[in-house]
Amino acid sequence: MNPKVHGQVVRSARAADEMLAARPAPPPISSWSIRSEAFRSKLFQLILILLLIAIGAYLFHNTTENMRLRGIQSGYGFLTQPAGFDIGETMFPYDSGNPYWKAILVGLSNTIRVALLGILFATLIGTAVGIGRFSRNALLRGLCQVYVEFFRNVPVLLQLLMWYLLLTEMLPAPNEPWVFGAGFYLSKGGFNFPLPQWAIGHASALFGFVAGLIAVGYWRRRQFQRFEQTGEAPSLWLVSSALLFVGTFAGWLFGGAPTEMRYPEMGAFAIDGGGALTPEFLAVLIGLTLYTAGFIAEVVRAGIQSVPRGQGEAAQSLGLSPSQQMRLVLLPQALRVIIPPLTSQYLNLTKNSSLAVAIGYPDVVSILNTSINQTGRAVECISIIMIVYLTTSLSTSAFMNWYNARAAIQER
């Protein structure tokens, strides 16, 4: 470039910089000004919230006014009135003279019981089947695939009806049950089994079991730290089982070591005493467990396949057995892929428990349907159902999000 032209360009640039520097700074934008991006964002959110509140208030007013014109009573005052109906399966004392809120509480406890047990058993079965898809045994691998394809593709309602019919039609009559050992009976009336007579020793045994769980968590953490330092694979199951047993046994001894049991007894038409699981509960539990386990098995399989092949080869080169490779290397890395869809399966199982009304299991939906028929408070009862399932779903999601954060791989 010509030196003269270059000098003119430099002088022009300097003059432009001086002019920009001499320009007065723009006045600061107030945080309450419409030109403020943060203020506009908050204003639009406030307008949206007010709009939603207005729509909700209009719908509420319109619904209550229409109900008033038709002479339909509204409100939640019916919850304190006597329910007037019995419930065949309860976890705590209840009779027809109790108020509606207690009947709803019975239904809620039945829903939570079948959901928690279903989640536990479906996780165990689904994990086993998912891992079995990688077995070197062709027969086992094929059986796991058949299980997944069958139970995933049959509607869950049909499975509930199938298990209910099997339990109520194929089993013997209650006065001629199948006997398994001392005090275990299986019949159309359900499954009866012995129960310990409640004493303070059982509560102390439970505290001992919790203490054992805490000890297991601490010991496992120390062993994994040692594994990272030395590379020696620890044997976790034996010591963990021993800690749980010692904690529970010590609590039982501390509480007086109660041994009294309540055994079922054969009656003229049925079996009385002890513990009992009704055919309705067993059908719901088995159906939901086997159905959801098929989906969990695919989630586990996909999570394990997402781990790079080199990880398994590296574990094998270290001399780890196939079970140690799966337990110590592959599954921990697969959890980051497994947990999010696993949460969805837990939510689906909990919500699918509402189908239990089709076979007469007294869950919260069944109890509130009966309440609607007796009181006519359809809006109130349906709102309670929505609140119940919303609360259980959000609680499950919160717990699984916490566990997902703890199971995530931490970068060093």
Side-chain angles (χ1 to χ4, degrees):
M1 179 183 290
N2 191 328
K4 185 176 181 180
V5 175
H6 177 70
Q8 291 178 350
V9 172
V10 171
R11 287 192 295 273
S12 299
R14 289 177 180 174
D17 292 339
E18 292 175 356
M19 291 177 62
L20 291 174
R23 177 188 296 177
I29 300 177
S30 173
S31 59
W32 294 94
S33 173
I34 193 65
R35 293 185 299 169
S36 171
E37 183 178 353
F39 175 76
R40 290 199 305 271
S41 175
K42 295 179 180 178
L43 179 63
F44 294 152
Q45 293 181 39
L46 178 61
I47 293 174
L48 178 60
I49 292 173
L50 293 176
L51 181 62
L52 293 176
I53 292 175
I55 294 174
Y58 169 76
L59 293 176
F60 178 78
H61 173 74
N62 189 49
T63 301
T64 54
E65 184 65 19
N66 287 332
M67 292 174 65
R68 185 187 65 81
L69 293 176
R70 289 166 174 77
I72 302 176
Q73 296 181 350
S74 62
Y76 294 89
F78 74 97
L79 293 175
T80 59
Q81 300 173 1
F85 58 86
D86 292 320
I87 301 176
E89 188 164 350
T90 65
M91 296 181 63
F92 48 86
Y94 169 84
D95 59 64
S96 59
N98 292 130
Y100 279 100
W101 66 264
K102 192 169 184 179
I104 296 172
L105 193 61
V106 170
L108 177 60
S109 65
N110 289 337
T111 296
I112 293 176
R113 178 174 62 153
V114 75
L116 291 179
L117 291 176
I119 286 173
L120 174 62
F121 293 139
T123 302
L124 296 176
I125 297 174
T127 302
V129 174
I131 295 175
R133 297 289 298 274
F134 297 93
S135 175
R136 297 177 182 177
N137 187 312
L139 177 60
L140 177 59
R141 189 170 61 250
L143 289 176
C144 291
Q145 183 174 359
V146 169
Y147 172 90
V148 170
E149 296 302 329
F150 177 79
F151 284 101
R152 280 204 317 162
N153 294 292
V154 177
V156 61
L157 180 58
L158 185 60
Q159 293 191 40
L160 297 182
L161 294 173
M162 177 189 70
W163 286 108
Y164 182 68
L165 291 176
L166 287 176
L167 291 172
T168 56
E169 298 295 334
M170 304 299 293
L171 292 179
N175 57 350
E176 297 178 352
W178 290 343
V179 182
F180 304 92
F184 293 89
Y185 303 94
L186 182 62
S187 67
K188 293 181 179 180
F191 179 63
N192 300 83
F193 52 91
L195 274 183
Q197 184 67 37
W198 176 255
I200 190 65
H202 298 118
S204 61
L206 178 61
F207 282 113
F209 178 78
V210 173
L213 284 178
I214 297 174
V216 167
Y218 175 77
W219 184 84
R220 287 172 63 91
R221 185 180 304 172
R222 293 293 301 272
Q223 290 301 308
F224 278 119
Q225 292 175 353
R226 180 172 174 269
F227 172 70
E228 291 179 354
Q229 295 172 359
T230 64
E232 296 180 4
S235 177
L236 301 176
W237 292 105
L238 181 61
V239 178
S240 298
S241 302
L243 288 174
L244 290 176
F245 174 77
V246 170
T248 305
F249 186 71
W252 178 69
L253 288 178
F254 181 78
T259 58
E260 185 177 356
M261 302 287 291
R262 293 187 291 115
Y263 287 91
E265 297 180 356
M266 288 289 301
F269 302 100
I271 303 172
D272 300 322
L277 299 177
T278 64
E280 293 80 11
F281 172 79
L282 291 174
V284 173
L285 180 61
I286 295 173
L288 292 179
T289 296
L290 297 181
Y291 175 77
T292 309
F295 289 90
I296 293 179
E298 284 296 276
V299 169
V300 172
R301 181 191 61 81
I304 295 174
Q305 283 188 331
S306 70
V307 179
R309 185 184 297 271
Q311 295 293 316
E313 295 174 350
Q316 187 176 5
S317 68
L318 292 174
L320 298 180
S321 65
S323 63
Q324 289 175 333
Q325 295 174 32
M326 183 65 67
R327 179 165 48 90
L328 300 175
V329 178
L330 299 180
L331 275 180
Q333 296 185 66
L335 281 179
R336 59 181 178 177
V337 178
I338 291 174
I339 293 176
L342 185 64
T343 303
S344 298
Q345 296 307 320
Y346 289 168
L347 297 178
N348 289 338
L349 187 148
T350 303
K351 290 181 286 189
N352 285 338
S353 66
S354 62
L355 297 174
V357 67
I359 59 175
Y361 179 67
D363 69 328
V364 67
V365 175
S366 176
I367 299 300
L368 283 166
N369 280 340
T370 304
S371 302
I372 291 175
N373 294 332
Q374 294 194 173
T375 64
R377 309 290 177 88
V379 175
E380 292 82 355
C381 291
I382 292 175
S383 68
I384 294 175
I385 296 176
M386 294 172 61
I387 291 172
V388 166
Y389 282 102
L390 180 63
T391 303
T392 55
S393 297
L394 292 179
S395 301
T396 303
S397 298
F399 174 78
M400 293 301 294
N401 288 337
W402 169 81
Y403 181 69
N404 188 31
R406 286 185 60 86
I409 296 177
Q410 303 294 331
E411 298 291 342
R412 295 188 178 181

